[in-house]
């Protein structure tokens, strides 16, 4: 019964499919679709997968509307709502392939976030004195982490749960704690 309702709901999502095909950010959305499909082990064409993720995932809708902001997105959000507790600042440049793990009470307010970003719930990426972080590619930010200020998180980094990051982190690091400290760099434990 649930799958029947979802399939009927997809009919109402057809304007989203049109917006996707006309989007200047279609390539980024395709990366999002591919990452979500891989994580959930689902196969299908981009159009079918887009409709599926829009139908069942408010956080995917938040990402989709961020990429396709404007009047049409605002109208579509009336009946196909994004996740109200997952906010992406309109000026944040967001790379493709973003994946979320129930990002409730999560705020992304960065200068830019690279490709293949993973974010969990209760995360704040924010500004201090108007200066915002820059986050590289292949970064994972786990539950309850805070990344603030004019700092850079390098490529291939993992931010451990509950970490408070206020200083830049080089590539290929794992950081944990408050304040966050590097515990692994380039696969080697730091003493």
């Amino acid at each position: 019964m649930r799958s029947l309702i979802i399939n009927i709901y997809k009919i109402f999502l057809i304007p989203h499919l049109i917006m996707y095909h006309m989007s200047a950010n279609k390539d980024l959305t395709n990366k999002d679709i591919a990452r979500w499909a891989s994580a959930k082990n689902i196969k299908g064409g981009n159009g079918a997968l887009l409709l599926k993720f829009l139908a069942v995932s408010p956080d995917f809708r938040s990402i989709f509307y961020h990429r396709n902001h404007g009047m049409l997105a605002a109208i579509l959000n009336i009946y196909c709502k994004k996740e109200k507790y997952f906010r992406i600042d309109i000026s944040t440049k967001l790379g493709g392939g973003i994946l979320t793990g129930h990002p409730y009470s999560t705020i992304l307010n960065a200068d830019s976030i690279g490709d293949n970003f993973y974010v969990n719930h209760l995360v704040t990426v924010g500004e201090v004195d108007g200066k915002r972080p820059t986050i590289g590619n292949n970064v994972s930010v786990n539950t309850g982490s805070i990344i603030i200020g004019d700092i850079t998180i390098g490529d291939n980094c993992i931010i451990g749960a509950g970490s408070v990051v206020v200083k830049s982190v080089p590539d290929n690091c794992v950081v944990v704690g408050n304040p966050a400290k590097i515990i692994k760099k380039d696969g080697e434990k730091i003493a």
Side-chain angles (χ1 to χ4, degrees):
M1 184 65 164
R2 178 170 156 50
S3 66
L4 176 64
I5 292 169
I6 289 171
N7 285 328
I8 291 170
Y9 184 56
K10 287 179 185 178
I11 294 167
F12 294 100
L13 297 174
I14 302 262
H16 291 80
L17 200 55
I18 294 166
M19 185 166 59
Y20 158 75
H21 283 295
M22 295 173 44
S23 174
N25 293 316
K26 186 175 178 184
D27 290 340
L28 295 173
T29 301
N30 286 340
K31 289 180 181 180
D32 297 337
I33 293 167
R35 181 105 187 262
W36 282 64
S38 174
K40 297 178 184 314
N41 199 25
I42 301 171
K43 299 205 182 316
N46 282 349
L49 289 170
L50 175 68
L51 291 177
K52 178 170 184 58
F53 297 142
L54 287 170
V56 300
S57 180
D59 39 320
F60 186 88
R61 285 181 227 142
S62 294
I63 298 163
F64 183 77
Y65 290 145
H66 175 76
R67 297 201 188 288
N68 300 285
H69 57 275
M71 184 63 75
L72 182 56
I75 292 168
L76 295 176
N77 186 48
I78 292 170
Y79 72 88
C80 185
K81 297 211 176 286
K82 60 186 174 180
E83 173 54 55
K84 68 180 179 177
Y85 298 113
F86 174 40
R87 304 202 183 226
I88 307 170
D89 185 81
I90 192 146
S91 65
T92 297
K93 294 176 195 107
L94 191 60
I98 185 171
L99 181 64
T100 60
H102 55 282
Y104 311 112
S105 298
T106 290
I107 299 168
L108 302 179
N109 181 15
D111 274 339
S112 66
I113 297 173
D115 290 340
N116 300 316
F117 180 69
Y118 171 82
V119 65
N120 216 311
H121 61 286
L122 300 171
V123 168
T124 299
V125 175
E127 64 182 70
V128 172
D129 298 326
K131 296 182 178 172
R132 305 181 306 165
T134 300
I135 298 175
N137 298 318
N138 307 309
V139 172
S140 295
V141 181
N142 291 289
T143 304
S145 296
I146 298 170
I147 302 170
I148 55 172
D150 186 19
I151 62 173
T152 299
I153 306 298
D155 294 341
N156 311 309
C157 287
I158 298 171
I159 309 301
S163 297
V164 178
V165 185
V166 294
K167 293 182 180 174
S168 291
V169 177
D171 293 347
N172 308 310
C173 288
V174 176
V175 297
V176 298
N178 179 3
K181 293 186 175 139
I182 298 170
I183 62 164
K184 221 182 233 190
K185 180 164 177 26
D186 297 321
E188 302 287 324
K189 286 187 179 181
I190 303 293

